Amino acid sequence: DRPICVEPLYNSFIQKGLGTYLRKRLLKSGCDLRDQEYNQALARLGSLNNDLATVDLSSASDTISYNVVLELVSPDWFELLDAARCQYFTYEDRTYPLEKISSMGNAFTFELESLIFLALARSVCDVLHIDPTCVNVYGDDIIIPVAAYDLLSEMLTCLGFEVNQAKSFKQGPFRESCGKDWFLGGEVR
């Protein structure tokens, strides 16, 4: 089961606007969240040449902590994202603070997680002096050069994310991303 926060209507309008803006900015940097096919094609390529790994995270949307976003985005953007989110929830007449920046139900969660994972993956490539041309994300479905897989996994773990080992592949002829399973370039789902 995954928890969902039903956001107030007016918050949702603002969140949707922020998500749309993030989506447009990601598109300008080469990451198209309108379509999963590019990620699927890169996964297929990885199953053929073993140069690209696929990384999937467990409950990624539910583990983007407040402090991680505070550290990763500019102060102006953090202030805007923080103002548009629900900061508390009430359960059985008690109020609790939310420790994650956005929940399932927040209209900018998908775009924010895509932005974070793309930035982390490209940063890892930069540190390792690896060409980031084939780095791409669609939510928590990450495509990265095999040589960058281990450092990205370590970085994600340090930031509180959990790599789903059952759905992440860095060696062998199988890759999976965005609902497509590839074995030596052939679809096997």
Side-chain angles (χ1 to χ4, degrees):
D1 292 337
R2 289 190 184 186
I4 184 169
C5 179
V6 179
E7 300 282 332
L9 181 62
Y10 292 118
N11 284 54
S12 295
F13 288 135
I14 295 167
Q15 292 165 5
K16 186 67 175 165
L18 291 171
T20 298
Y21 182 80
L22 290 173
R23 197 174 276 254
K24 287 177 182 177
R25 292 303 302 247
L26 284 164
L27 183 59
K28 283 184 179 183
S29 73
C31 181
D32 188 353
L33 297 181
R34 299 172 299 181
D35 192 354
Q36 300 176 26
E37 289 182 10
Y38 185 57
N39 252 44
Q40 293 167 344
L42 289 174
R44 179 181 179 278
L45 183 61
S47 78
L48 285 167
N49 66 18
N50 211 30
D51 288 341
L52 298 174
T54 57
V55 183
D56 187 81
L57 302 176
S58 299
S59 300
S61 301
D62 287 328
T63 53
I64 302 174
S65 77
Y66 184 88
N67 285 331
V68 164
V69 178
L70 179 63
E71 291 297 322
L72 294 179
V73 303
S74 70
D76 291 345
W77 263 97
F78 181 80
E79 187 177 327
L80 189 58
L81 294 170
D82 190 38
R85 75 184 188 99
C86 284
Q87 298 179 1
Y88 301 93
F89 71 97
T90 302
Y91 178 71
E92 294 184 352
D93 297 326
R94 290 190 62 199
T95 300
Y96 303 90
L98 289 171
E99 298 298 331
K100 53 187 169 184
I101 192 72
S102 65
S103 64
M104 296 299 291
N106 180 310
F108 64 67
T109 296
F110 180 72
E111 291 83 2
L112 180 61
E113 76 177 346
S114 297
L115 172 67
I116 289 169
F117 300 138
L118 182 65
L120 294 175
R122 287 183 178 171
S123 295
V124 164
C125 288
D126 188 47
V127 165
L128 296 174
H129 307 289
I130 297 171
D131 180 12
T133 303
C134 288
V135 170
N136 202 60
V137 302
Y138 189 87
D140 72 333
D141 280 275
I142 304 166
I143 307 289
I144 191 161
V146 167
Y149 178 94
D150 291 334
L151 183 57
L152 178 64
S153 295
E154 186 178 332
M155 180 181 286
L156 290 166
T157 300
C158 286
L159 293 173
F161 300 104
E162 181 182 347
V163 175
N164 183 342
Q165 298 299 332
K167 292 180 69 181
S168 298
F169 302 93
K170 70 173 182 173
Q171 55 188 323
F174 182 83
R175 298 292 187 274
E176 183 278 331
S177 186
C178 296
K180 292 278 188 175
D181 296 334
W182 303 100
F183 185 81
L184 292 173
E187 189 175 350
V188 294
R189 180 165 284 202

